[in-house]
Amino acid sequence: MYESETNRLVESTESIPEAVRRQWKSLSEGVTHKSVHSWGEHCVECAAPKCYETCDLYEKREGDWLCRRFVGGMVRIPNVGLVTPWIYRIHFKKWAKLLAEGSTSLVTLENANRFELINQVLGGGISRLPDLLKKPVLLPWRYRSLRHKAIRKISTQTTADYFLLEIYNPGDDSVRITLYMRSKGAQNLTIFALPLVINPGLQRVRVPCNTIRKQLDLNLPFELEISPSESVATPILYFGAMDFVKDTSYVSPARMGSCKCVVWDLDHTIWNGTLIEDGVAKLEIKTGVKEIIQELDKRGILNSIASKNNHDDVIPALRKFGIEEYFVKPQISWNPKGLSIKKIASELNIGLDTLLFIDDSPFERDEVAQTTPEVTIIDATDAISLPWMEETQCSISPESSSRRQYYIQQGTREAAMEQNQDNYESFLRDCNMRMKVMPVTMDLLPRVHELAQRTNQMNFSGNRYSLDKLQDIVEDNEMDCFAIDVEDRYGSYGVVGFAVMDRSQNTLMDLAFSCRVQAKRVEHAFLSYLLTKYPQRPFTAFWKKTERNAPSGRVFEELGFVEDSIDNETTKLHYTLTSMQSIDYIRVESY
């Protein structure tokens, strides 16, 4: 909702291109509840009311005597958006911004839209009263106070999923804006700031509430602000929903940071235009996309490509935009994209449920949804939200920014392995593998936390420890916590594993490795090391068997562990032998 009752201008629905109107109405079809914010025009340098007398930019706003910061005010366009009964065209003046009292209280979509229609009539009527009638009793301000009370009365107990921001940029140039959520009245000011690049066309931003809560307590009073990033900018933008919403179609990931790889389409997704029709020279990379790819890469989230194009034509385009190096295992062919995505997951040795796929085409998104339902699918309109999606909120460690390089090194290893496929063990011996076993220190905690959260195929306990819980374990005098670093003649894998040993019970409580060392018998070498370090028998271990970790779990049987019991899907194993299998081609160094 907007404080548009002070402005009576209405623009024809036809001012929005038909294709954009259709797209806008298809957005957020699962939204059932929303917050009701009273967005108003304000100034980034506001010092009201003193500035009204001293500022050259002050222009009296009819209806409530505040400052007119938008050219023509907020201009309504009906029957366009789905979440709101109308959208607004806003032409920002210098230093202009949008401001609202923040709230996560939700009302049904039907009640919200009904409330906005009533507000337009009542608020508009009050604004049109002569100053002689309304000014002595401060009628506009009294009305706004009553309006806030009415909203609270019709609020439900429904919890919001995310903050929704819909913006249409009709121009030819991108516009940089910033969304702020700022604590209000708190002793220590806290801010959630989201810089955005609004490319030409319709953009939709979804910011999960869990992401916002990492920086801002949404239960305390806060305010919302949207402003062009440069104070001299005077863009024209169309705004639809700018509210917290409940969306029945929104599926929150099972855990934060579940994404391991983002698979990009190219035409009209990474760049504007169609390569095969326009040629490399006419293509333009979408503003902000390169920065998003680089940010994901820093976090250790891989980028890949599934595009229907000619491979030899694509490479020059990627080089032109300086992004060729960021993509691993790209699939550029005329195969169905579902098939390409399966191949990417297979070659990276990661699960389909850890992939995000971005494409502008509804046909391609539907094909991938049917053939690979585990993959999270994102409309290219939402690509701007990638850095703030729950799936991409992962722990960052020194290994994160090197993950892409590890996969490049792995490609070299695989090529060498192909030449030695008749004698795999001989190949492993030639790799000159070294394993360094170290106690987990505070410096290593972020990486161990990342492994605990993201590892599936070689996670034998399935525990998803928080950072605080891991720190408690490290500081427990009865526990030994190990970090495992591996390298070979092709390069370093970094810290790829961790283990937790309960000395009082002679029990291995946790063991997890990155899939980068799968099938290299690193887990065999480490377990052999533990069996030597803790010679008391029986030596006990726990394994929560899943479909994902079952192949790796064969290591216990291969080393001579036997089942003791099964409780709550967790198998208790013990080892009673006095001698164990030696993995002599992996050198183990302990510190």
Side-chain angles (χ1 to χ4, degrees):
M1 184 173 69
Y2 298 84
E3 292 179 355
S4 59
E5 60 267 17
T6 59
N7 183 37
R8 296 187 291 276
L9 293 180
V10 179
E11 189 173 284
S12 169
T13 305
E14 303 301 318
S15 63
I16 305 291
E18 183 180 356
V20 176
R21 297 202 305 268
R22 286 199 306 267
Q23 186 184 12
W24 210 319
K25 282 189 174 292
S26 70
L27 298 181
S28 308
E29 294 180 349
V31 172
T32 59
H33 295 70
K34 59 172 282 191
S35 56
V36 182
H37 291 124
S38 297
W39 288 93
E41 55 185 324
H42 290 262
C43 175
V44 297
E45 299 293 337
C46 182
K50 291 183 179 180
C51 59
Y52 296 168
E53 300 176 359
T54 60
C55 182
D56 293 337
L57 298 178
Y58 174 69
E59 178 186 344
K60 179 183 175 182
R61 188 170 81 174
E62 292 183 10
D64 57 9
W65 321 287
L66 299 179
C67 182
R68 174 65 73 199
R69 299 310 314 134
F70 302 148
V71 177
M74 297 175 170
V75 181
R76 279 186 293 149
I77 301 97
N79 303 319
V80 177
L82 183 69
V83 181
T84 56
W86 40 64
I87 64 174
Y88 285 88
R89 178 177 63 79
I90 295 178
H91 185 176
F92 289 83
K93 290 184 178 182
K94 184 178 180 181
W95 293 350
K97 68 178 182 181
L98 278 162
L99 191 69
E101 294 285 333
S103 174
T104 56
S105 297
L106 304 185
V107 302
T108 64
L109 199 59
E110 181 181 6
N111 281 342
N113 290 342
R114 183 184 297 119
F115 191 91
E116 293 196 32
L117 291 168
I118 294 172
N119 173 67
Q120 191 66 39
V121 175
L122 293 180
I126 290 173
S127 70
R128 289 189 288 274
L129 290 174
D131 287 356
L132 184 64
L133 294 176
K134 62 187 178 184
K135 193 168 185 177
V137 292
L138 302 176
L139 195 55
W141 286 274
R142 290 178 182 273
Y143 169 70
R144 286 172 192 164
S145 176
L146 291 172
R147 182 176 61 192
H148 289 312
K149 290 180 181 179
I151 293 171
R152 287 196 292 270
K153 283 188 176 181
I154 62 174
S155 296
T156 68
Q157 299 299 313
T158 305
T159 303
D161 291 315
Y162 57 85
F163 183 84
L164 174 63
L165 178 59
E166 298 175 340
I167 306 179
Y168 167 56
N169 176 6
D172 297 325
D173 299 320
S174 299
V175 176
R176 294 182 181 273
I177 68 170
T178 304
L179 165 67
Y180 295 101
M181 299 186 189
R182 185 184 297 109
S183 60
K184 186 178 180 184
Q187 186 174 2
N188 297 316
L189 178 69
T190 55
I191 297 176
F192 174 82
L194 180 60
L196 298 168
V197 178
I198 308 302
N199 289 307
L202 180 58
Q203 304 283 304
R204 176 180 55 183
V205 181
R206 298 192 305 178
V207 190
C209 291
N210 287 340
T211 302
I212 300 170
R213 288 191 181 99
K214 286 186 172 184
Q215 300 179 42
L216 183 72
D217 189 344
L218 294 175
N219 294 318
L220 298 177
F222 66 99
E223 63 183 13
L224 299 161
E225 177 185 323
I226 295 175
S227 59
S229 294
E230 294 85 16
S231 62
V232 296
T234 59
I236 298 175
L237 297 171
Y238 290 74
F239 290 85
M242 295 197 293
D243 297 288
F244 291 93
V245 301
K246 178 66 179 179
D247 185 350
T248 57
S249 65
Y250 177 72
V251 180
S252 180
R255 52 195 170 85
M256 298 285 281
S258 58
C259 175
K260 293 184 178 180
C261 179
V262 174
V263 181
W264 296 81
D265 170 48
L266 295 176
D267 296 333
H268 301 292
T269 299
I270 280 184
W271 53 59
N272 293 311
T274 303
L275 175 60
I276 198 169
E277 295 176 1
D278 301 321
V280 173
K282 292 185 179 180
L283 296 180
E284 293 183 356
I285 190 170
K286 289 192 173 183
T287 305
V289 166
K290 183 175 181 178
E291 290 78 5
I292 290 173
I293 291 170
Q294 291 171 329
E295 175 61 26
L296 296 173
D297 187 71
K298 280 186 209 173
R299 299 181 189 185
I301 296 172
L302 302 172
N303 291 277
S304 190
I305 294 171
S307 173
K308 290 180 178 178
N309 263 301
N310 296 318
H311 181 275
D312 292 344
D313 295 335
V314 166
I315 301 305
L318 297 177
R319 288 175 182 161
K320 171 185 175 182
F321 302 129
I323 55 177
E324 179 191 12
E325 63 180 298
Y326 292 101
F327 297 103
V328 294
K329 309 295 184 183
Q331 301 301 310
I332 304 165
S333 68
W334 297 98
N335 291 328
K337 292 193 177 179
L339 186 62
S340 294
I341 287 172
K342 288 179 181 178
K343 189 171 182 181
I344 291 169
S346 175
E347 292 192 4
L348 292 177
N349 194 26
I350 58 178
L352 286 168
D353 59 345
T354 66
L355 297 180
L356 299 185
F357 172 60
I358 303 176
D359 201 301
D360 68 297
S361 166
F363 173 86
E364 301 294 354
R365 295 197 302 270
D366 287 348
E367 186 267 323
V368 170
Q370 291 191 29
T371 57
T372 55
E374 305 94 330
V375 174
T376 300
I377 300 170
I378 298 172
D379 188 331
T381 308
D382 284 338
I384 192 173
S385 303
L386 268 173
W388 299 277
M389 291 181 178
E390 292 183 8
E391 294 91 334
T392 63
Q393 305 304 305
C394 52
S395 301
I396 300 178
S397 65
E399 280 77 11
S400 299
S401 57
S402 302
R403 183 165 288 120
R404 171 168 46 90
Q405 190 60 38
Y406 295 148
Y407 277 91
I408 293 173
Q409 293 171 355
Q410 180 62 15
T412 305
R413 292 185 185 96
E414 290 171 355
M417 189 169 62
E418 282 292 320
Q419 297 176 3
N420 294 271
Q421 57 183 339
D422 294 335
N423 194 335
Y424 183 60
E425 185 170 321
S426 175
F427 164 72
L428 290 178
R429 289 184 183 278
D430 289 341
C431 285
N432 299 323
M433 298 180 70
R434 177 200 59 79
M435 176 191 298
K436 184 164 71 172
V437 181
M438 310 166 287
V440 175
T441 61
M442 291 300 114
D443 290 341
L444 291 172
L445 263 184
R447 172 55 178 163
V448 171
H449 177 242
E450 184 181 29
L451 285 167
Q453 293 294 323
R454 292 164 62 86
T455 303
N456 295 300
Q457 297 181 65
M458 299 184 73
N459 188 328
F460 298 103
S461 71
N463 292 328
R464 305 292 182 189
Y465 293 120
S466 67
L467 200 56
D468 290 341
K469 179 62 176 176
L470 276 173
Q471 185 168 339
D472 290 342
I473 294 173
V474 170
E475 294 174 349
D476 189 329
N477 291 329
E478 293 188 350
M479 298 290 185
D480 286 339
C481 299
F482 301 102
I484 302 137
D485 184 286
V486 176
E487 68 177 28
D488 60 22
R489 67 188 178 95
Y490 299 99
S492 172
Y493 294 87
V495 176
V496 292
F498 81 95
V500 178
M501 187 75 189
D502 185 343
R503 291 195 312 276
S504 65
Q505 302 294 323
N506 207 48
T507 298
L508 178 62
M509 305 299 297
D510 275 283
L511 179 62
F513 288 95
S514 165
C515 61
R516 292 203 298 268
V517 294
Q518 192 169 27
K520 295 176 176 63
R521 300 182 73 80
V522 169
E523 66 273 32
H524 295 71
F526 179 72
L527 278 172
S528 296
Y529 162 78
L530 285 185
L531 291 168
T532 302
K533 182 176 176 64
Y534 300 92
Q536 181 184 342
R537 297 292 182 265
F539 181 104
T540 307
F542 289 102
W543 174 29
K544 189 169 185 178
K545 187 175 181 180
T546 66
E547 183 180 351
R548 300 287 291 278
N549 71 20
S552 300
R554 288 197 291 266
V555 61
F556 294 112
E557 180 183 352
E558 291 169 359
L559 287 181
F561 283 80
V562 295
E563 282 191 16
D564 184 293
S565 60
I566 299 177
D567 182 29
N568 194 26
E569 300 182 350
T570 298
T571 301
K572 182 178 181 181
L573 306 131
H574 65 258
Y575 186 89
T576 59
L577 303 178
T578 56
S579 61
M580 68 285 303
Q581 179 182 353
S582 174
I583 311 297
D584 59 358
Y585 48 80
I586 300 179
R587 187 172 79 255
V588 180
E589 301 171 359
S590 60
Y591 294 80

